[in-house]
């Protein structure tokens, strides 16, 4: 499956990664399609809210440590120059309304010069600054 086919699939935002994906399970679902192993398998269904998701990430020491831990388990390698299909930790504005917008770090998939990510309104591809990038190996 290529990135275009993956992004064309029906995607639904759902905390906990069951029946849909959140901002961290979305790139894990991409990894599952690419390499056949789900780096978020141990987490899916263990949380249902933003607060519970943040508590899990905090237990790992933050977003970078969380993603590094889970992607290393499936053999993904850190790279400096993102290419289409790479998984990234990006800086993004999140929040339900303009009033509660905050900058945060979320998981995304490189898509040409953009980053594809999921949010309650669906999939979007946006330019973003990345914090770290991992390349999947088959």
């Amino acid at each position: 499956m290529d990135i275009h086919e993956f992004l064309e699939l029906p995607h639904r935002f759902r905390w906990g990664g069951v029946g849909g994906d959140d901002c961290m399970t979305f790139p894990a679902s991409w990894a599952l399609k690419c390499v056949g192993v789900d780096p978020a398998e141990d987490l899916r269904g263990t949380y249902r809210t933003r607060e519970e998701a943040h508590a899990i990430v905090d237990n790992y020491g933050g977003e970078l440590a969380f993603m590094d831990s889970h992607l290393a388990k499936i053999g993904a390698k850190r790279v400096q120059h993102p290419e289409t299909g790479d998984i990234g930790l990006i800086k993004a504005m999140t929040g339900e309304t303009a009033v509660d917008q905050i900058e945060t770090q979320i998981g995304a998939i490189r898509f040409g010069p953009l980053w594809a990510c999921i949010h309650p309104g669906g999939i979007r591809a946006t330019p973003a600054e990345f914090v770290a990038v991992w390349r999947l190996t088959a």
Side-chain angles (χ1 to χ4, degrees):
M1 171 172 291
D2 70 20
I3 188 69
H4 296 280
E5 294 167 327
F6 178 75
L7 294 176
E8 288 175 1
L9 294 173
H11 292 279
R12 175 180 172 193
F13 187 90
R14 168 97 25 138
W15 289 109
V18 176
D21 281 306
D22 58 45
C23 60
M24 292 302 198
T25 63
F26 176 67
S29 293
W30 167 241
L32 175 60
K33 295 286 187 189
C34 291
V35 300
V37 181
D38 183 1
E41 181 178 26
D42 63 326
L43 300 170
R44 291 185 190 272
T46 65
Y47 61 99
R48 290 190 178 96
T49 67
R50 175 191 313 228
E51 293 75 23
E52 291 172 336
H54 286 242
I56 291 169
V57 170
D58 289 346
N59 283 337
Y60 279 86
E63 293 87 354
L64 180 58
F66 172 82
M67 287 187 71
D68 217 17
S69 169
H70 285 84
L71 290 168
K73 289 189 300 189
I74 66 164
K77 303 292 182 203
R78 290 274 295 267
V79 295
Q80 296 299 315
H81 305 287
E83 297 177 0
T84 294
D86 288 346
I87 292 175
L89 178 63
I90 65 168
K91 294 181 180 181
M93 299 301 289
T94 62
E96 299 295 321
T97 66
V99 174
D100 66 351
Q101 291 278 304
I102 59 166
E103 184 178 87
T104 189
Q105 296 179 3
I106 63 171
I109 306 161
R110 187 69 170 190
F111 182 62
L114 305 175
W115 290 97
C117 51
I118 193 166
H119 62 98
I123 302 296
R124 70 176 170 190
T126 185
E129 179 182 344
F130 67 87
V131 175
V133 179
W134 295 263
R135 184 152 302 140
L136 301 170
T137 55

